[in-house]
Amino acid sequence: MNITRENIDDLNAIVKVDIAKEDYSGKVEKILKDYRKNANIPGFRKGHVPMGMVKKQYGKAVLVDEVNKLLQDALNKYLTEEKLDVLGNPLPKEQENFDWDQENYSFEFELGLSPQFDVNLETKEPITHYKIVAGDEMIENQITHIRKQYGKLVSKDVVEEGDVVAGTFKNEEEGIENEISLPLENIDGKEQREKFLGAKVGDTITINTKGLFEDDHKFQDVLKVDHDKAHGLDIEVSFTISEINKQELAELDQELFDKLFGKDEVKSVEDLKEKIKEDAAKQFKQQSDQQLLNDVTEALIENNKFDLPKEFLQKWIQTVGEKPLTEEEAKEEYEKSEQGLRFQLIEGKLIRENNLEVKFEDLKAFATDRIKEQMAQFGQMNPSEKELDDIAARVLSNQDEVKRLSEQLMNEKLLDFYKENIKLEEKEVTYEDFVKEIYK
């Protein structure tokens, strides 16, 4: 067997594999002899079928199969030994008048080679690293939410703004009859809310569903209608009041603080605001880091220009899926995936050159930390080392989980690398301003 390579240019090459009869004949003969021993052909005793008949019936199929196996093994070994960094897979070149009846064969493959480049981490302008914080409005809203959650309902006789009314929605024609407790503030529109004001227990109010709630999906819970019917629902419904309650907010005192955070962890409203701000910052960190990853990705692609074997990749895309694509479809697919491929090459080079690979001991420690966090959410603050090891072993025996955790850990390693090696500019913003700036 002989393998040679012709470099067309820096990104394309042709590999030629020559296979001689002596490369495959021994293996083919052995397989055919085994076939002969086990063949059941009418008129012949098992093991006594003439070899000529076995070759005639099975010879071509065995030959093709063994040559293809030999070809793939040789090609893979060659790419490994030559340390060729290829994109996609080798594409066999079509050969006119190919004849399996000959004894020696030649096969040619097109290769798309990965470009050679150095990653430039210098950017024209510093990349913004957002530090997302809870603004005063968000903090006050969270305090109000806490006070409502731990407050109590006080029974009333007459409905006023801010009350919670319990009752039954009805529409006989539509088959609607549903009991529900409804905060008046959830009703969208002043005119609709005013129909409830001044009403008493036992009163029945008739209202139209159009624009009753800001989101029509709310009707799925309030009226128990299906998803499709909820959209644009425009009917009249009656609401018979069975109970009126006023939401009495909980006092911001030490008893509430201890209930929320543990004894003496928070001692004042100012401490509470600071605690809410700290907790919010932890929650927002994931969004901040993801945005940094997005922005760094764009900057690295923009900052590192190199050529790709475009024509080869489009041909490869045509054949790689379950269903072959047309040239035009492959071209569209390539254009959609080109930026992702460029970043994949940049990221891969950074990982290799800076030893950022995920090792098993790192993955186990990472998985254990995630397990601790989840257990803490359910009140298990001090799990034993054996318990953690057992759970981690079960998690890491699942290949899907291993892949998911490995990707998360690699993202963390890359984030740390970017924060240390790319010029960043920290910008503190409230969550509301962050959303406006990113999704403007």
Side-chain angles (χ1 to χ4, degrees), residues 310-311 313-318 325-338:
K310 181 177 178 180
E311 292 182 6
L313 288 170
Q314 289 178 4
K315 288 172 67 175
W316 175 68
I317 288 171
Q318 276 188 270
L325 302 180
T326 65
E327 279 190 35
E328 190 60 35
E329 288 171 335
K331 182 179 179 182
E332 289 178 9
E333 194 63 33
Y334 172 78
E335 288 172 353
K336 285 191 289 186
S337 60
E338 182 183 354

Side-chain angles (χ1 to χ4, degrees), residues 165-254:
V165 290
T168 303
F169 276 111
K170 281 187 180 180
N171 180 306
E172 290 185 8
E173 291 182 8
E174 299 291 338
I176 293 171
E177 184 172 352
N178 187 48
E179 293 183 18
I180 192 167
S181 183
L182 182 68
L184 211 59
E185 63 188 28
N186 287 0
I187 295 175
D188 195 36
K190 183 179 178 182
E191 186 177 337
Q192 297 277 47
R193 284 198 304 275
E194 284 181 346
K195 291 183 179 181
F196 287 84
L197 300 180
K200 300 177 182 179
V201 172
D203 288 354
T204 298
I205 300 161
T206 300
I207 52 178
N208 193 283
T209 58
K210 186 176 182 180
L212 186 61
F213 300 111
E214 186 176 353
D215 185 353
D216 284 350
H217 289 101
K218 188 83 173 170
F219 290 121
Q220 291 178 257
D221 295 323
V222 173
L223 302 181
K224 297 301 180 187
V225 296
D226 62 35
H227 178 270
D228 292 339
K229 193 170 185 177
H231 280 280
L233 187 65
D234 186 3
I235 59 173
E236 282 196 342
V237 291
S238 66
F239 185 80
T240 302
I241 299 174
S242 60
E243 192 176 342
I244 304 167
N245 292 294
K246 178 179 178 62
Q247 178 79 55
E248 191 173 277
L249 302 181
E251 291 294 328
L252 294 175
D253 55 21
Q254 195 61 48

Side-chain angles (χ1 to χ4, degrees), residues 345-385:
L345 292 171
I346 294 167
E347 186 181 66
K349 195 172 181 68
L350 286 174
I351 290 170
R352 289 192 303 274
E353 293 182 351
N354 295 280
N355 298 316
L356 300 177
E357 69 272 8
V358 172
K359 298 176 182 176
F360 179 76
E361 55 267 30
D362 296 333
L363 187 60
K364 183 180 177 183
F366 183 75
T368 302
D369 287 342
R370 300 290 85 77
I371 292 165
K372 281 182 183 177
E373 290 173 5
Q374 290 180 4
M375 294 179 78
Q377 290 175 5
F378 293 96
Q380 294 176 266
M381 307 304 293
N382 296 299
S384 68
E385 189 172 331

Side-chain angles (χ1 to χ4, degrees), residues 122-172:
E122 295 292 328
T123 57
K124 294 178 182 178
E125 300 291 337
I127 296 175
T128 301
H129 183 203
Y130 292 95
K131 182 181 179 182
I132 308 171
V133 298
D136 292 340
E137 184 179 353
M138 179 177 281
I139 292 172
E140 291 300 332
N141 287 340
Q142 182 62 22
I143 290 175
T144 301
H145 174 74
I146 290 170
R147 295 185 69 189
K148 284 183 178 180
Q149 184 180 358
Y150 289 89
K152 61 183 179 180
L153 294 175
V154 179
S155 182
K156 293 182 59 182
D157 296 323
V158 180
V159 178
E160 295 179 294
E161 284 280 10
D163 287 347
V164 179
V165 290
T168 303
F169 276 111
K170 281 187 180 180
N171 180 306
E172 290 185 8

